[in-house]
Amino acid sequence: MTARDRYDVSLHLLDRQIVGAADRLVAKVDDVELTRLSDGRLVPTALLVGLPALLPRLSGLLARMHRLTRAAAADRDLPLVADLGLVDEVGSDVRLNVAHARLPRMERARAEDPHRLRVGDVLGIPVRCAELPRRSKVLDLCVVGVPGHAGRDDPHEVVALIVGPGRPGALLGYDRRSEPGPAVVAGIVRWLHRHARVVDLGPGVVLDVDAGEVRIERGTSLLPLRG
Amino acid sequence: MKRYLGVLLGVLTAIGGFVDIGDLVTDAQVGARFGWSMTWVVLLGVGGICVFAEMAGRIAAVSHRATFDLVRERLGPRVGMLNLVGSILVTLLTFIAEIGGVALALQLVSSVNHVLVVPFVAAAVWIVLWRAKFSSIENVLGLLGLSLIGFAVALWQLGPDWNDVLHQLAPTSNPGGESWTTYAYFAVALFGAAMTPYEVFFFSSGGVEERWTRKDIGVMRANVFIGFPLGGILALAIAGCAAEVFLPHGISVETLGQVGLPVALALGKIGLAVVVLGFFAATFGAACETGLSVGYSLAQYFGFQWGKYVRPRDAAGFHVIILLATALGAGVLLTGVDPIMVTEMSVVFSAIALPLTYLPILVVANDPDYLGEHRNGRLANVLGVFYLGIVLVVSLAAIPLMIVTSMGQH
């Protein structure tokens, strides 16, 4: 992976293959846990693994069905957790320094902690902003930090949201950096997402996951995506 | 010297493994009904599979990521799931057709009804997939598949009027006098057979299985750019034999036996025996490839351990999926469904599934995170976009054409 001090959670981390010790394939990054610190900062804290993490991203109905089928073993509706400190490297895959069997299941108290949320709960929620098209949603989360170095230096932090019409993942990676891509495909994707913007988290931006929306005040700086 | 032998073996197995039941049936049907007028579709399809197999192989060699990894990473879990369901259905359909093809090949030799042979074929496929080494499967069956060169020899012996063949090469010649919608339907089927998605699933996963590195990119390219086109020539020879023998009499191809008949006419029993061995090897090899591809796709979507490069106990889920797929395939064939009809359906549905498979490959082949200096150059991108446009049109046209022509009946 090229060195960077900033990455997009959906593009660079979600759905990547997790590889454990001895090159064994462990799972996909099915979701990412975020924690809201007491000072209000939002930081990624763990990779979540397993159907309880994946199904809610596919459909709420599938997640409910999964919980019903697991009713006899209530803890099984919670995902496995790989704290970001276990991540050695993030490239085209995510390298852990432990084998699969060592990944613990999330404790219920942690699952019910109101300060913790999942990236899957944030992606796709509506964005209310007078200066954006009505159907705008959260498309991705921008994080400051070098992938694979969380917990060693400063913790990673969600610093901005990518918002706009369309669905998360549809940007295909053409939005943020200088991948040349086939010019035709890049051009089509950029045209489809011409209304997408980057908005820094801070004054004027409220990420209200309980209400299921992001509110952006008029006059807040909305930066265009870089080509 | 060892390196050159490795390249030669790779090219030979690529040729022998290029043709499967979909190519055998569709090429012969097209030759019998449209003569040489669809040669351009075969060439177009071979070009397309070369372009995307090379990209998928390069990604596997540099980043060790197989195609379905990319599908979920770039399209997300929802669209990825849609692709997974579609691809699994198509690959399962092809798997069923291949097992049926092996049974039909054995029926040609033994005269025992293919339905009775199916359970034994399915058991043999599963045992091979469970026990045999990946390289042994690929090399042994790929080399045996070279027996299909018998079609090229037979075509030469049949002595076609090459001037007439040249005239028929024009797409507008349509010597059988079929309607243009039927022509378009078979063009879509032929293109789908050449570019069927399981080929890149298998090719890229095979690269990971065989631990390709950047150093293997040259060998991989030789396999693709020499082996696949020569395999395409075999496909043309099959169509050409059917064009010489069946087209003048207005006979359509309905059985695997008919596919081999021109060889029997040109080369006698020995020639027929050789190409029937080729049928067996090509379909058995493709059955192994499609069976593995079902396991590869599911495992790569969900991320659990897959592959024959680890012990079966370490990839238990992967092997259970293959076992279930094999049992399902055998079960479907035991209902008495015609494997040739399953084949015809599989190639058309392949055409529908193409864009969702090839778009992520093209996007990731441009991503420096995955490929660094080995990312696509201008030529690869121009060809990739050209073929992406074609697969989009083909996939949109497939179902309407299937309905309008009643699967090519009129």
Side-chain angles (χ1 to χ4, degrees):
Chain A
M1 178 175 248
T2 49
R4 67 164 73 87
D5 56 4
R6 194 177 164 109
Y7 61 97
D8 300 341
V9 176
S10 179
L11 178 62
H12 297 117
L13 201 52
L14 269 183
D15 301 309
R16 298 254 167 157
Q17 179 70 48
I18 300 176
V19 182
D23 277 351
R24 288 302 156 87
L25 306 177
V26 176
K28 292 283 186 179
V29 179
D30 291 314
D31 210 335
V32 175
E33 182 193 64
L34 302 172
T35 302
R36 194 179 287 284
L37 302 180
S38 53
D39 59 8
R41 288 187 300 152
L42 201 57
V43 299
T45 41
L47 310 179
L48 306 180
V49 166
L51 287 179
L54 173 64
L55 291 181
R57 292 181 60 214
L58 289 174
S59 124
L61 179 66
L62 280 175
R64 281 195 294 280
M65 284 169 62
H66 178 257
R67 269 198 292 275
L68 284 175
T69 59
R70 294 286 192 178
D75 66 315
R76 292 296 175 117
D77 67 351
L78 298 174
L80 302 179
V81 180
D83 284 317
L84 279 194
L86 299 177
V87 176
D88 257 354
E89 186 187 346
V90 178
S92 62
D93 52 24
V94 177
R95 297 260 161 187
L96 297 188
N97 51 28
V98 290
H100 183 222
R102 303 252 177 94
L103 289 186
R105 195 165 289 281
M106 182 182 273
E107 292 168 4
R108 186 151 298 280
R110 182 170 179 169
E112 291 168 356
D113 181 349
H115 299 294
R116 294 179 193 266
L117 60 150
R118 296 182 188 182
V119 167
D121 297 330
V122 178
L123 291 175
I125 61 174
V127 175
R128 312 289 175 213
C129 175
E131 292 157 55
L132 285 172
R134 249 188 205 177
R135 59 192 189 286
S136 294
K137 297 172 185 153
V138 176
L139 301 179
D140 211 337
L141 288 76
C142 308
V143 174
V144 164
V146 179
H149 290 75
R152 292 173 207 170
D153 308 315
D154 292 331
H156 294 194
E157 181 186 342
V158 180
V159 291
L161 304 175
I162 299 178
V163 297
R167 62 169 188 81
L171 288 160
L172 294 170
Y174 286 107
D175 53 319
R176 299 295 297 155
R177 293 182 298 112
S178 58
E179 279 113 327
V184 178
V185 179
I188 291 172
V189 173
R190 285 184 191 133
W191 181 80
L192 287 172
H193 293 278
R194 62 195 179 282
H195 299 299
R197 295 288 182 271
V198 181
V199 56
D200 287 340
L201 284 178
V205 180
V206 178
L207 171 57
D208 188 344
V209 177
D210 293 333
E213 65 178 26
V214 173
R215 293 183 291 277
I216 303 174
E217 287 175 12
R218 187 182 290 275
T220 304
S221 170
L222 296 168
L223 302 172
L225 298 176
R226 283 200 296 269
Chain B
M1 186 65 187
K2 197 177 169 187
R3 186 171 173 82
Y4 289 116
L5 282 175
V7 173
L8 182 64
L9 183 65
V11 169
L12 290 177
T13 54
I15 300 168
F18 185 82
V19 173
D20 70 353
I21 187 75
D23 297 297
L24 285 169
V25 171
T26 317
D27 291 335
Q29 285 179 335
V30 162
R33 293 177 67 166
F34 302 94
W36 291 86
S37 66
M38 285 208 193
T39 301
W40 67 275
V41 182
V42 175
L43 298 179
L44 195 68
V46 171
I49 195 66
C50 285
V51 166
F52 283 103
E54 191 274 337
M55 283 186 216
R58 191 157 25 96
I59 294 166
V62 177
S63 73
H64 311 296
R65 300 264 68 83
T67 295
F68 230 94
D69 271 342
L70 315 180
V71 167
R72 180 169 159 191
E73 284 172 21
R74 283 304 158 123
L75 299 181
R78 283 192 189 187
V79 181
M81 175 61 82
L82 191 70
N83 191 359
L84 179 71
V85 171
S87 299
I88 290 278
L89 285 176
V90 171
T91 310
L92 260 179
L93 216 52
T94 316
F95 185 41
I96 293 166
E98 305 294 353
I99 293 175
V102 179
L104 287 175
L106 291 173
Q107 180 180 318
L108 290 176
V109 178
S110 64
S111 298
V112 176
N113 188 293
H114 72 273
V115 176
L116 296 176
V117 184
V118 160
F120 300 100
V121 173
V125 167
W126 180 67
I127 289 168
V128 166
L129 293 181
W130 182 36
R131 302 300 300 176
K133 277 185 177 174
F134 183 87
S135 55
S136 306
I137 299 172
E138 199 176 28
N139 293 339
V140 171
L141 294 169
L143 290 175
L144 283 176
L146 288 172
S147 312
L148 293 174
I149 288 174
F151 277 98
V153 179
L155 181 63
W156 169 58
Q157 282 292 302
L158 287 169
D161 177 349
W162 291 107
N163 278 328
D164 186 38
V165 170
L166 271 178
H167 281 109
Q168 286 185 32
L169 285 180
T172 50
S173 67
N174 191 4
E178 301 271 0
S179 75
W180 287 106
T181 45
T182 310
Y183 184 95
Y185 170 78
F186 275 97
V188 164
L190 204 53
F191 190 77
M195 288 198 69
T196 183
Y198 88 80
E199 291 181 22
V200 283
F201 297 154
F202 179 76
F203 190 71
S204 62
S205 304
V208 178
E209 293 261 24
E210 293 185 320
R211 303 294 197 182
W212 286 351
T213 65
R214 289 162 202 258
K215 288 180 185 167
D216 296 304
I217 289 177
V219 177
M220 179 275 292
R221 282 183 171 150
N223 294 350
V224 170
F225 293 128
I226 302 173
F228 285 13
L230 290 176
I233 290 176
L234 270 189
L236 280 179
I238 295 167
C241 283
E244 291 308 309
V245 172
F246 299 121
L247 180 65
H249 304 287
I251 300 169
S252 60
V253 173
E254 309 287 346
T255 66
L256 192 61
Q258 281 178 290
V259 178
L261 192 61
V263 180
L265 289 175
L267 303 175
K269 286 180 183 172
I270 302 284
L272 182 62
V274 169
V275 295
V276 169
L277 174 65
F279 288 167
F280 173 80
T283 50
F284 200 97
C288 292
E289 292 178 8
T290 45
L292 285 171
S293 293
V294 172
Y296 289 148
S297 310
L298 269 166
Q300 286 163 18
Y301 179 87
F302 289 104
F304 55 85
Q305 181 65 57
W306 54 270
K308 292 187 61 57
Y309 67 98
V310 293
R311 290 173 303 177
R313 74 167 68 165
D314 293 329
F318 170 72
H319 284 281
V320 167
I321 289 166
I322 292 174
L323 174 61
L324 292 175
T326 312
L328 179 69
V332 170
L333 287 164
L334 284 174
T335 64
V337 66
D338 179 11
I340 300 295
M341 192 197 74
V342 177
T343 305
E344 290 169 1
M345 288 175 65
S346 74
V347 292
V348 176
F349 284 113
S350 283
I352 299 165
L354 294 176
L356 286 180
T357 302
Y358 291 122
L359 174 65
I361 295 175
L362 181 62
V363 171
V364 170
N366 281 280
D367 190 335
D369 277 1
Y370 288 77
L371 285 168
E373 61 182 322
H374 293 284
R375 65 178 182 268
N376 270 6
R378 188 181 293 265
L379 179 63
N381 275 340
V382 168
L383 291 172
V385 170
F386 170 71
Y387 275 105
L388 196 64
I390 291 176
V391 298
L392 205 59
V393 171
V394 163
S395 97
L396 290 174
I399 285 185
L401 284 171
M402 189 166 73
I403 294 168
V404 169
T405 65
S406 302
M407 286 189 74
Q409 296 303 307
H410 51 76

